[in-house]
mmCIF file of all heavy atoms in Angstrom:
data_model
loop_
_atom_site.group_PDB
_atom_site.id
_atom_site.type_symbol
_atom_site.label_atom_id
_atom_site.label_comp_id
_atom_site.label_asym_id
_atom_site.label_seq_id
_atom_site.Cartn_x
_atom_site.Cartn_y
_atom_site.Cartn_z
ATOM 1 N N THR A 575 0.822 -1.211 0.000
ATOM 2 C CA THR A 575 0.000 0.000 0.000
ATOM 3 C C THR A 575 0.859 1.266 0.000
ATOM 4 O O THR A 575 0.321 2.366 0.019
ATOM 5 C CB THR A 575 -0.957 0.041 1.211
ATOM 6 O OG1 THR A 575 -0.198 0.104 2.407
ATOM 7 C CG2 THR A 575 -1.871 -1.174 1.232
ATOM 8 N N ALA A 576 2.166 1.118 -0.041
ATOM 9 C CA ALA A 576 3.087 2.258 -0.030
ATOM 10 C C ALA A 576 3.278 2.764 -1.456
ATOM 11 O O ALA A 576 4.261 2.443 -2.130
ATOM 12 C CB ALA A 576 4.417 1.862 0.593
ATOM 13 N N VAL A 577 2.335 3.539 -1.938
ATOM 14 C CA VAL A 577 2.380 4.073 -3.296
ATOM 15 C C VAL A 577 3.663 4.902 -3.460
ATOM 16 O O VAL A 577 3.958 5.753 -2.620
ATOM 17 C CB VAL A 577 1.135 4.949 -3.581
ATOM 18 C CG1 VAL A 577 1.193 5.540 -4.980
ATOM 19 C CG2 VAL A 577 -0.136 4.136 -3.376
ATOM 20 N N PRO A 578 4.431 4.649 -4.512
ATOM 21 C CA PRO A 578 5.670 5.409 -4.710
ATOM 22 C C PRO A 578 5.409 6.912 -4.773
ATOM 23 O O PRO A 578 4.434 7.356 -5.392
ATOM 24 C CB PRO A 578 6.200 4.891 -6.049
ATOM 25 C CG PRO A 578 5.593 3.536 -6.199
ATOM 26 C CD PRO A 578 4.245 3.627 -5.547
ATOM 27 N N ASP A 579 6.289 7.685 -4.130
ATOM 28 C CA ASP A 579 6.167 9.143 -4.153
ATOM 29 C C ASP A 579 6.167 9.651 -5.590
ATOM 30 O O ASP A 579 6.949 9.195 -6.422
ATOM 31 C CB ASP A 579 7.323 9.790 -3.392
ATOM 32 C CG ASP A 579 7.227 9.563 -1.890
ATOM 33 O OD1 ASP A 579 6.109 9.296 -1.396
ATOM 34 O OD2 ASP A 579 8.276 9.643 -1.221
ATOM 35 N N GLY A 580 5.278 10.573 -5.870
ATOM 36 C CA GLY A 580 5.231 11.214 -7.177
ATOM 37 C C GLY A 580 4.542 10.418 -8.269
ATOM 38 O O GLY A 580 4.510 10.869 -9.412
ATOM 39 N N LEU A 581 3.998 9.257 -7.945
ATOM 40 C CA LEU A 581 3.312 8.474 -8.976
ATOM 41 C C LEU A 581 2.069 9.232 -9.432
ATOM 42 O O LEU A 581 1.191 9.552 -8.635
ATOM 43 C CB LEU A 581 2.924 7.090 -8.448
ATOM 44 C CG LEU A 581 2.222 6.173 -9.447
ATOM 45 C CD1 LEU A 581 3.143 5.844 -10.621
ATOM 46 C CD2 LEU A 581 1.746 4.901 -8.767
ATOM 47 N N ALA A 582 2.009 9.523 -10.727
ATOM 48 C CA ALA A 582 0.889 10.270 -11.301
ATOM 49 C C ALA A 582 0.684 9.803 -12.739
ATOM 50 O O ALA A 582 1.440 8.967 -13.233
ATOM 51 C CB ALA A 582 1.172 11.765 -11.257
ATOM 52 N N SER A 583 -0.300 10.339 -13.389
ATOM 53 C CA SER A 583 -0.627 9.991 -14.779
ATOM 54 C C SER A 583 -0.836 8.492 -14.939
ATOM 55 O O SER A 583 -0.346 7.873 -15.879
ATOM 56 C CB SER A 583 0.467 10.482 -15.738
ATOM 57 O OG SER A 583 0.607 11.876 -15.656
ATOM 58 N N VAL A 584 -1.591 7.911 -14.024
ATOM 59 C CA VAL A 584 -1.870 6.476 -14.046
ATOM 60 C C VAL A 584 -3.172 6.234 -14.813
ATOM 61 O O VAL A 584 -4.157 6.933 -14.632
ATOM 62 C CB VAL A 584 -1.957 5.920 -12.608
ATOM 63 C CG1 VAL A 584 -2.384 4.460 -12.607
ATOM 64 C CG2 VAL A 584 -0.619 6.096 -11.900
ATOM 65 N N ALA A 585 -3.149 5.211 -15.679
ATOM 66 C CA ALA A 585 -4.321 4.860 -16.475
ATOM 67 C C ALA A 585 -5.023 3.617 -15.954
ATOM 68 O O ALA A 585 -6.213 3.436 -16.176
ATOM 69 C CB ALA A 585 -3.906 4.624 -17.934
ATOM 70 N N GLN A 586 -4.269 2.713 -15.261
ATOM 71 C CA GLN A 586 -4.860 1.469 -14.775
ATOM 72 C C GLN A 586 -4.056 0.972 -13.579
ATOM 73 O O GLN A 586 -2.851 1.196 -13.507
ATOM 74 C CB GLN A 586 -4.831 0.406 -15.876
ATOM 75 C CG GLN A 586 -5.529 -0.889 -15.500
ATOM 76 C CD GLN A 586 -4.828 -2.131 -16.043
ATOM 77 O OE1 GLN A 586 -4.086 -2.065 -17.001
ATOM 78 N NE2 GLN A 586 -5.069 -3.253 -15.402
ATOM 79 N N ILE A 587 -4.722 0.294 -12.660
ATOM 80 C CA ILE A 587 -4.042 -0.331 -11.529
ATOM 81 C C ILE A 587 -4.450 -1.787 -11.434
ATOM 82 O O ILE A 587 -5.516 -2.176 -11.919
ATOM 83 C CB ILE A 587 -4.349 0.383 -10.190
ATOM 84 C CG1 ILE A 587 -5.858 0.464 -9.956
ATOM 85 C CG2 ILE A 587 -3.689 1.742 -10.128
ATOM 86 C CD1 ILE A 587 -6.245 0.940 -8.577
ATOM 87 N N SER A 588 -3.583 -2.586 -10.796
ATOM 88 C CA SER A 588 -3.907 -3.979 -10.542
ATOM 89 C C SER A 588 -3.220 -4.401 -9.254
ATOM 90 O O SER A 588 -2.002 -4.288 -9.133
ATOM 91 C CB SER A 588 -3.454 -4.864 -11.704
ATOM 92 O OG SER A 588 -3.853 -6.209 -11.491
ATOM 93 N N ALA A 589 -4.005 -4.861 -8.302
ATOM 94 C CA ALA A 589 -3.475 -5.319 -7.017
ATOM 95 C C ALA A 589 -3.334 -6.835 -7.062
ATOM 96 O O ALA A 589 -4.266 -7.540 -7.433
ATOM 97 C CB ALA A 589 -4.405 -4.910 -5.879
ATOM 98 N N GLY A 590 -2.149 -7.312 -6.698
ATOM 99 C CA GLY A 590 -1.904 -8.751 -6.625
ATOM 100 C C GLY A 590 -1.993 -9.231 -5.188
ATOM 101 O O GLY A 590 -2.575 -8.563 -4.331
ATOM 102 N N TRP A 591 -1.382 -10.355 -4.904
ATOM 103 C CA TRP A 591 -1.434 -10.940 -3.565
ATOM 104 C C TRP A 591 -0.844 -9.990 -2.538
ATOM 105 O O TRP A 591 -1.526 -9.567 -1.618
ATOM 106 C CB TRP A 591 -0.695 -12.277 -3.596
ATOM 107 C CG TRP A 591 -0.929 -13.151 -2.416
ATOM 108 C CD1 TRP A 591 -0.093 -13.299 -1.358
ATOM 109 C CD2 TRP A 591 -2.040 -14.003 -2.162
ATOM 110 N NE1 TRP A 591 -0.607 -14.200 -0.464
ATOM 111 C CE2 TRP A 591 -1.805 -14.661 -0.935
ATOM 112 C CE3 TRP A 591 -3.201 -14.296 -2.861
ATOM 113 C CZ2 TRP A 591 -2.686 -15.576 -0.403
ATOM 114 C CZ3 TRP A 591 -4.075 -15.210 -2.325
ATOM 115 C CH2 TRP A 591 -3.820 -15.837 -1.105
ATOM 116 N N PHE A 592 0.433 -9.654 -2.677
ATOM 117 C CA PHE A 592 1.106 -8.722 -1.768
ATOM 118 C C PHE A 592 1.838 -7.635 -2.541
ATOM 119 O O PHE A 592 2.852 -7.116 -2.079
ATOM 120 C CB PHE A 592 2.114 -9.460 -0.873
ATOM 121 C CG PHE A 592 1.499 -10.426 0.088
ATOM 122 C CD1 PHE A 592 1.825 -11.767 0.046
ATOM 123 C CD2 PHE A 592 0.593 -9.997 1.049
ATOM 124 C CE1 PHE A 592 1.274 -12.670 0.938
ATOM 125 C CE2 PHE A 592 0.028 -10.897 1.947
ATOM 126 C CZ PHE A 592 0.371 -12.232 1.885
ATOM 127 N N HIS A 593 1.391 -7.320 -3.736
ATOM 128 C CA HIS A 593 2.028 -6.267 -4.536
ATOM 129 C C HIS A 593 0.971 -5.556 -5.374
ATOM 130 O O HIS A 593 -0.162 -6.028 -5.495
ATOM 131 C CB HIS A 593 3.146 -6.835 -5.415
ATOM 132 C CG HIS A 593 2.670 -7.696 -6.549
ATOM 133 N ND1 HIS A 593 2.139 -8.951 -6.363
ATOM 134 C CD2 HIS A 593 2.657 -7.490 -7.885
ATOM 135 C CE1 HIS A 593 1.829 -9.486 -7.532
ATOM 136 N NE2 HIS A 593 2.132 -8.609 -8.475
ATOM 137 N N THR A 594 1.357 -4.417 -5.915
ATOM 138 C CA THR A 594 0.447 -3.609 -6.716
ATOM 139 C C THR A 594 1.216 -3.052 -7.903
ATOM 140 O O THR A 594 2.395 -2.721 -7.784
ATOM 141 C CB THR A 594 -0.116 -2.437 -5.885
ATOM 142 O OG1 THR A 594 -0.691 -2.969 -4.679
ATOM 143 C CG2 THR A 594 -1.165 -1.662 -6.644
ATOM 144 N N CYS A 595 0.566 -2.931 -9.049
ATOM 145 C CA CYS A 595 1.189 -2.355 -10.242
ATOM 146 C C CYS A 595 0.271 -1.296 -10.836
ATOM 147 O O CYS A 595 -0.951 -1.392 -10.745
ATOM 148 C CB CYS A 595 1.466 -3.431 -11.285
ATOM 149 S SG CYS A 595 2.715 -4.620 -10.768
ATOM 150 N N ALA A 596 0.902 -0.307 -11.443
ATOM 151 C CA ALA A 596 0.168 0.780 -12.095
ATOM 152 C C ALA A 596 0.675 0.936 -13.522
ATOM 153 O O ALA A 596 1.891 0.940 -13.758
ATOM 154 C CB ALA A 596 0.365 2.084 -11.333
ATOM 155 N N LEU A 597 -0.249 1.060 -14.457
ATOM 156 C CA LEU A 597 0.077 1.370 -15.849
ATOM 157 C C LEU A 597 -0.083 2.868 -16.020
ATOM 158 O O LEU A 597 -1.158 3.414 -15.761
ATOM 159 C CB LEU A 597 -0.863 0.621 -16.802
ATOM 160 C CG LEU A 597 -0.804 1.018 -18.271
ATOM 161 C CD1 LEU A 597 0.589 0.770 -18.846
ATOM 162 C CD2 LEU A 597 -1.862 0.257 -19.060
ATOM 163 N N LYS A 598 0.997 3.513 -16.439
ATOM 164 C CA LYS A 598 0.941 4.957 -16.640
ATOM 165 C C LYS A 598 0.459 5.273 -18.048
ATOM 166 O O LYS A 598 0.511 4.427 -18.946
ATOM 167 C CB LYS A 598 2.321 5.567 -16.368
ATOM 168 C CG LYS A 598 2.756 5.356 -14.908
ATOM 169 C CD LYS A 598 4.080 5.991 -14.618
ATOM 170 C CE LYS A 598 3.907 7.494 -14.746
ATOM 171 N NZ LYS A 598 5.099 8.233 -14.388
ATOM 172 N N THR A 599 -0.006 6.479 -18.254
ATOM 173 C CA THR A 599 -0.547 6.879 -19.553
ATOM 174 C C THR A 599 0.509 6.896 -20.646
ATOM 175 O O THR A 599 0.175 6.865 -21.822
ATOM 176 C CB THR A 599 -1.225 8.268 -19.473
ATOM 177 O OG1 THR A 599 -0.282 9.215 -18.987
ATOM 178 C CG2 THR A 599 -2.445 8.223 -18.575
ATOM 179 N N ASP A 600 1.784 6.897 -20.280
ATOM 180 C CA ASP A 600 2.846 6.853 -21.291
ATOM 181 C C ASP A 600 3.203 5.421 -21.685
ATOM 182 O O ASP A 600 4.138 5.191 -22.453
ATOM 183 C CB ASP A 600 4.092 7.603 -20.821
ATOM 184 C CG ASP A 600 4.769 6.972 -19.611
ATOM 185 O OD1 ASP A 600 4.303 5.919 -19.107
ATOM 186 O OD2 ASP A 600 5.784 7.531 -19.153
ATOM 187 N N GLY A 601 2.463 4.415 -21.164
ATOM 188 C CA GLY A 601 2.686 3.027 -21.531
ATOM 189 C C GLY A 601 3.753 2.322 -20.711
ATOM 190 O O GLY A 601 4.149 1.210 -21.042
ATOM 191 N N THR A 602 4.219 2.948 -19.628
ATOM 192 C CA THR A 602 5.189 2.307 -18.748
ATOM 193 C C THR A 602 4.465 1.768 -17.509
ATOM 194 O O THR A 602 3.329 2.155 -17.219
ATOM 195 C CB THR A 602 6.307 3.269 -18.321
ATOM 196 O OG1 THR A 602 5.736 4.376 -17.623
ATOM 197 C CG2 THR A 602 7.084 3.764 -19.540
ATOM 198 N N VAL A 603 5.147 0.883 -16.783
ATOM 199 C CA VAL A 603 4.557 0.231 -15.612
ATOM 200 C C VAL A 603 5.424 0.491 -14.392
ATOM 201 O O VAL A 603 6.657 0.460 -14.474
ATOM 202 C CB VAL A 603 4.426 -1.293 -15.849
ATOM 203 C CG1 VAL A 603 3.940 -2.009 -14.601
ATOM 204 C CG2 VAL A 603 3.496 -1.567 -17.021
ATOM 205 N N VAL A 604 4.768 0.740 -13.262
ATOM 206 C CA VAL A 604 5.429 0.906 -11.969
ATOM 207 C C VAL A 604 4.786 -0.086 -11.009
ATOM 208 O O VAL A 604 3.560 -0.168 -10.942
ATOM 209 C CB VAL A 604 5.256 2.350 -11.436
ATOM 210 C CG1 VAL A 604 5.855 2.492 -10.047
ATOM 211 C CG2 VAL A 604 5.832 3.362 -12.410
#
């Protein structure tokens, strides 16, 4: 749940078992 500082311009999120990923609008993933 510790969202990385400055994460913005997110288009989609997906929560896994103990991790989370975000797809940014520029087509990269965090």
Side-chain angles (χ1 to χ4, degrees):
T575 64
V577 178
D579 290 338
L581 181 63
S583 300
V584 174
Q586 185 217 338
I587 55 171
S588 184
W591 194 260
F592 294 120
H593 70 289
T594 307
C595 293
L597 170 61
K598 297 182 66 176
T599 57
D600 65 1
T602 60
V603 175
V604 176

